[in-house]
Amino acid sequence: MSLTRMLTEIIPIEDLFAVNTETRDFIQTRTIISSSSAIISTISSSTLIWMILRSPQRLTTTRHRILFGMAVGDIIFSLSAANYNAMIPSDVDYISWNAQGNQATCSMLGLLTVLGAPMSLFYSCSLNIYFLAMVKYNKTDRYIRTKMEPFLHG
């Protein structure tokens, strides 16, 4: 086949977006595994929140407030991953398994991802800074609560 013919030949749209069976199976398997682990993560974070709120200290300690924020961020992010791709627009079902959503559900999925991922990450960093101050620098809980904690949540 000549180069000129290859460049001028019309390729059917179905051929452009054809996904072979192995790729489709991989996408389906990856989606099921990630969504299932996100459901487990949501349950675990909900359990952590329940344990914090049932403890005698509740949210009076800095550590509990940071863990609470981290668990909330994880729940938000996990909810964006726990939908088995059902929130992805059905227009792209040729590339994404189980795509059943529309533009509004896609926007909601993006919002949950953009809010949850950084929130969980930043609270994880805050927890590391909290323990660094407590263990290495021997800072009191009062010092951390008054001087450091406003920045750990911000």
Side-chain angles (χ1 to χ4, degrees):
M1 180 179 278
S2 70
L3 181 61
T4 310
R5 184 170 175 212
M6 285 175 39
L7 294 175
T8 58
E9 185 177 328
I10 297 175
I11 300 172
I13 193 79
E14 293 82 22
D15 291 347
L16 287 175
F17 297 115
V19 178
N20 62 26
T21 310
E22 291 175 8
T23 304
R24 177 80 80 180
D25 290 343
F26 173 75
I27 292 170
Q28 182 178 1
T29 304
R30 186 193 69 204
T31 301
I32 291 170
I33 290 171
S34 66
S35 294
S36 299
S37 66
I39 291 170
I40 293 169
S41 181
T42 301
I43 292 168
S44 301
S45 293
S46 298
T47 304
L48 180 62
I49 288 174
W50 178 76
M51 290 172 64
I52 289 171
L53 296 177
R54 295 277 315 225
S55 71
Q57 297 92 7
R58 295 193 180 177
L59 293 173
T60 59
T61 65
T62 302
R63 182 180 72 242
H64 280 183
R65 287 189 292 272
I66 292 172
L67 284 172
F68 183 84
M70 192 164 80
V72 168
D74 181 62
I75 289 171
I76 293 170
F77 180 67
S78 294
L79 287 176
S80 72
N83 57 44
Y84 294 94
N85 283 355
M87 292 175 73
I88 294 176
S90 56
D91 301 349
V92 294
D93 63 345
Y94 56 86
I95 193 126
S96 181
W97 175 76
N98 198 30
Q100 300 174 6
N102 54 31
Q103 187 60 43
T105 59
C106 185
S107 297
M108 184 58 140
L109 180 67
L111 177 70
L112 290 174
T113 304
V114 167
L115 288 178
M119 185 176 175
S120 186
L121 175 71
F122 292 144
Y123 270 110
S124 179
C125 292
S126 294
L127 191 64
N128 290 330
I129 293 168
Y130 167 78
F131 280 115
L132 179 71
M134 287 288 286
V135 175
K136 181 159 172 80
Y137 296 110
N138 296 321
K139 298 296 181 185
T140 63
D141 195 43
R142 183 174 183 271
Y143 176 84
I144 292 173
R145 185 175 53 250
T146 58
K147 302 287 184 188
M148 294 177 64
E149 189 174 359
F151 299 104
L152 294 178
H153 294 289

